[in-house]
């Protein structure tokens, strides 16, 4: 009996890790599939978010006093511009038009960041520490979104789109780590000394 099981398993073709055998469906069926529709909706959500983040990063850079933090926000602004272009490529790869769908989550996180700027002293390390936390909330939202979207792209066989989404995911994780390092190197200690 064990030999028969081995023989049966040996006859199953190997599939990509994390994917199941797929039956061929036409493009119209795929576009109407609930998972594809969710994927597109989530892309529109993060496309809105990335564009909103571009505006927020300018305000955060202006509000920061640490040169390291200002530089990090400037670098991430340039990187976010690339993320927007990359998302436009993802839309094209799946034969959809780039379109923004209001992202209430990112709106709330950005509003919280604006409140931090209003409620902290200009030029203080406390403001910089708070700005880092606000920026990391944005990063964590993006990390969760890009991680999920990349896996969905793999599941649906959109391998090129998955590669682009995974590249952005890695850059968001790197930015998060950089912000932690800036906080731990000086800003948090300087903020702790303020009256």
């Amino acid at each position: 009996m064990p030999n028969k099981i081995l023989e049966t398993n040996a006859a199953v073709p190997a599939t990509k890790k994390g994917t199941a055998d797929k039956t061929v469906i036409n493009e119209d069926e795929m576009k109407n599939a609930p998972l594809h529709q969710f994927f597109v909706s989530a892309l529109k959500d993060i496309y809105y978010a990335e564009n909103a983040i571009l505006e927020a990063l300018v305000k955060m850079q202006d509000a920061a006093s640490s040169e390291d933090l200002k530089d990090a926000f400037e670098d991430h602004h340039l990187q976010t511009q690339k993320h927007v272009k990359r998302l436009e490529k993802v839309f094209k790869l799946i034969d959809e038009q780039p379109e923004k769908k209001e992202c209430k989550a990112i709106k709330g996180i950005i509003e919280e960041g604006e409140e931090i700027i209003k409620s902290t002293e200009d030029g203080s390390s406390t403001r910089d520490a708070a700005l880092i936390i606000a920026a990391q909330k944005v990063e964590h939202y993006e990390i969760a979104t890009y991680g999920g979207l990349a896996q969905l792209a793999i599941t649906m066989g959109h391998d090129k789109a998955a590669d682009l989404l995974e590249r952005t995911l890695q850059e968001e994780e790197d930015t998060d780590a950089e912000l932690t390092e800036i906080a731990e190197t000086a800003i948090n200690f300087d903020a702790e000394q303020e009256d």
Side-chain angles (χ1 to χ4, degrees), residues 48-105:
Y48 173 98
E50 290 286 24
N51 280 282
I53 291 164
L54 283 171
E55 292 178 32
L57 282 167
V58 172
K59 293 176 187 175
M60 293 174 85
Q61 182 182 356
D62 290 343
S65 59
S66 158
E67 284 305 314
D68 286 344
L69 187 54
K70 283 182 175 288
D71 290 347
F73 287 149
E74 182 180 11
D75 291 347
H76 195 56
H77 187 271
L78 295 171
Q79 193 177 68
T80 302
Q81 290 174 327
K82 291 178 186 175
H83 295 171
V84 169
K85 297 289 184 206
R86 205 174 282 154
L87 280 170
E88 290 168 355
K89 287 181 185 175
V90 170
F91 277 108
K92 187 175 181 179
L93 284 168
I94 63 168
D95 198 31
E96 296 283 350
Q97 290 298 315
E99 187 181 317
K100 297 175 197 169
K101 181 184 94 176
E102 184 180 81
C103 175
K104 292 179 182 176

Side-chain angles (χ1 to χ4, degrees), residues 124-181:
S124 69
S125 292
T126 298
R127 176 183 279 179
D128 285 349
L131 285 170
I132 288 171
I133 291 171
Q136 287 187 299
K137 287 180 181 183
V138 170
E139 292 308 312
H140 291 195
Y141 177 81
E142 291 178 298
I143 288 166
T145 301
Y146 282 111
L149 287 173
Q151 288 306 308
L152 288 179
I154 290 167
T155 299
M156 294 185 291
H158 301 309
D159 294 338
K160 288 181 182 177
D163 289 344
L164 294 174
L165 294 165
E166 286 175 343
R167 191 178 324 159
T168 299
L169 172 62
Q170 184 59 58
E171 290 170 358
E172 300 294 5
E173 290 172 343
D174 292 346
T175 297
D176 183 52
E178 180 186 4
L179 289 168
T180 296
E181 186 176 335

